[in-house]
Amino acid sequence: MEKYDLEDEDSQLIYRIERPVYNETLIQAQLLKRKEDTTTNCQKLAEKFQCSSEKAKAAALSFMPILSWLPSYPVKKYLFSDVVSGLSTGVVQLPQGLAYAMLAAVPPVYGLYSSFYPVLLYTFFGTSRHISVGTFAVISLMIGGVAVREAPDSMFMNINATGSNASDAINVELRDKSRVQVAVMVTTLAGLIQIVLGLLRFGFVAIYLTEPLVRGFTTAASMHVVISQLKYLLGVETQRYSGFLSAIYSVKAVLSTITSTNIATFLLGLGCIIFLYVIKVLNERFKKKLPIPIPGEIIVVIVSTGISYGLSLSKEYKVHVVGNIPTGLRPPAAPNISLLPNLVTDSFAIAIVGFSMDVSLAKIFALKHGYSVDGNQELIALGLCNFISSFFQTFAVTCSMSRSLVQESTGGKTQIAGLLASLLVLVVVVAVGFVFEPLPQTALAAIIMVNLIGMFKQFRDIPSLWRTSKIELAIWVIAFIASVLLGLDYGLLVAVTFAILTVIYRTQSPKTSILGHVANTGLYCDVDEYEEAAEYEGIKIFHSNSSVYFANSDLYVNSLKEKTGLNPEHLQAARKAQKKRKEKTNSNRHVAEDQKNGQFGDRHGDSEEAVFLEPFSTVHSIILDWTSATFIDSVGAKAIRQVIKEYAAVDVRVVIAGCNRNLLAELDTLKFFTKDLTTDFLFPTVHDAVLHCQHSNSHPSVAAVSDTT
């Protein structure tokens, strides 16, 4: 009989439950009956692949999200905002495309290509309305590292070169052509990996890149970026390094040539940095009053280009400039497949990092503006942007935080803004690209450095994580140090491995406790932590906040024995010693009765027997609280079965409470239950188990659940 009562006393809800104590045997026999699934595997397969007009429409809308919102696009309400946002974003995208091409170790015009094709494609396939896809510092640097590794300067030395300038000894045209081929092949492969992962619904892989890991990794990447731009800021010639300790070698190379700093280059770059920083501060401080952010980057590009052209900085002061920017778009071309074997690992890392950046920022804007993004479709969209665009000589892209903030803060409502930004880049590439040929490289270095200020603010995470989570702090620090010292590819691998190890550590070393009952509540809490929690006499309730499997089964059993204070081996040994002492005492008593006064011997014997027959422990039952357990393997099941047998040998009953249905099914599969160990030992709640243990000896069939017991 079950009785449920819900009352409202003094505006506080109170519930009372009266029902029998349930164990798993009773539940399966009386309460729950599994639904019979009569559908065969063939029927399920046929239903899955059955095609209908509704499914075809849903698939088309999912694959090309623009079809779901463009037909109902509110022109009067959204168009003006999208136009303003698109032009503002395009103005930022132009200089960033030129600048990030230097990070990717390819000529600047390829940065413009990468700011056009992928942005155009994302308009059709992306699910986010606000992110700005295109070149991004971290991804560009990762590509540049691969390009420099596969096509180093040493491969393109001019044997007959003369002159003191290091660039004269290198066939720059051939080197850049080879590096473009590497960048394009990496992009093709990264895009293909993203498409395949998206089709396989592997959008969840981004969860392995936790926020502390990503922030530590991107901070390290920012360090690499700044170090790589020092030579452009100072106007010195140094080799570009990649791989282990590349950051240290790059700093050493710059310091060794610092005496040959080009003063004109340095002063121009320093002036650009100061100007951009001031503009950044003004935009942040007056963002609510400014209709659109002040476009500091495009101002720097225009002014520095004008100064360079007017003063002939390249000829008169040896200031390095962007140089030739071909007019028009390149025809499509297939990537160089022969480069594929050496680029698989790098492409996979770039694919995962790019997607992680994309989906994390997309979810932030979606949450803010009340819509949803599909992680798997984002993976496919980004893959298509990279894969298709690579045939037009682009390098890998993802979303940019700075441009996305511009697109959103200037009123962007949909990806029409992104489309207009890409068209603005197209106009520059087709018509006026040559105007930027005198643009000093030091100005682009200044743009890159100032845009990374936000990344370096992530160092503020360290004191915050120190206070909240030491493990997440360790992930942040390991990701940062490994990425700085080992390079971004191996650094990312080390960081992900360490993050996974922390998960194993947490499950292998879970927090364990003994629970006590909080009077008149039905709640059970840690007796060491809460004064109100009191243990029941003769019952120990053991709780662990982890599952039981091969990595922690021994620790689980050891913690159980330590926390409860009951070690079956010790009890067994004590029982054997008691038995021997009792036998010896009885033997001595009988001998003494024959030789001494019988009355004295009887009293002595009674006293000895009373001492040795005292129980070693008042605990008769142990309850394993499995409310936190989600899975168990064969090793864990064997460990639990063995510990139940060990305690049973010393007359201590072990029962399990709070086992969920999936975990119960796993126990069935593992043949956990036997003739001696049945489902009678399993209870749906801790309270059921407590009442069973309390009343099983005196009232085996009368116990009932009550929240006031």
Side-chain angles (χ1 to χ4, degrees), residues 187-200:
T187 303
T188 304
L189 191 53
L192 194 59
I193 290 171
Q194 289 171 332
I195 293 172
V196 171
L197 290 178
L199 292 174
L200 295 176

Side-chain angles (χ1 to χ4, degrees), residues 86-164:
L87 295 177
S88 302
T89 306
V91 165
V92 177
Q93 192 134 7
L94 276 170
Q96 287 190 0
L98 293 168
Y100 292 155
M102 293 199 308
L103 292 178
V106 297
V109 69
Y110 293 93
L112 295 180
Y113 299 154
S114 302
S115 299
F116 167 62
Y117 290 108
V119 183
L120 180 66
L121 289 168
Y122 186 82
T123 303
F124 296 92
F125 298 106
T127 60
S128 175
R129 304 173 191 172
H130 294 93
I131 65 171
S132 174
V133 170
T135 56
F136 182 57
V138 175
I139 299 297
S140 300
L141 185 67
M142 293 178 74
I143 292 173
V146 179
V148 171
R149 185 193 70 206
E150 297 297 320
D153 290 341
S154 58
M155 289 178 59
F156 307 97
M157 303 299 293
N158 288 323
I159 300 176
N160 299 322
T162 59
S164 58

Side-chain angles (χ1 to χ4, degrees), residues 654-688:
V654 178
V655 299
I656 299 171
C659 181
N660 65 63
R661 312 308 299 178
N662 292 331
L663 187 56
L664 181 63
E666 289 183 8
L667 291 174
D668 274 331
T669 304
L670 294 169
K671 308 297 182 184
F672 179 79
F673 302 109
T674 62
K675 185 186 298 184
D676 299 324
L677 182 60
T678 66
T679 51
D680 291 342
F681 287 83
L682 263 66
F683 297 88
T685 69
V686 172
H687 205 53
D688 281 283

Side-chain angles (χ1 to χ4, degrees), residues 556-608:
Y556 183 92
V557 172
N558 292 336
S559 297
L560 170 64
K561 295 175 181 178
E562 180 183 348
K563 284 286 184 179
T564 59
L566 297 174
N567 190 317
E569 295 176 0
H570 296 168
L571 293 177
Q572 207 52 288
R575 176 172 287 187
K576 290 180 180 179
Q578 180 194 43
K579 185 177 180 180
K580 288 182 180 180
R581 285 195 297 268
K582 184 180 178 182
E583 290 175 352
K584 184 177 180 181
T585 301
N586 290 338
S587 176
N588 291 338
R589 185 182 63 183
H590 291 312
V591 172
E593 284 176 351
D594 294 337
Q595 298 177 355
K596 297 183 180 181
N597 186 285
Q599 185 179 359
F600 174 81
D602 288 341
R603 286 199 304 268
H604 180 72
D606 291 342
S607 174
E608 286 290 316

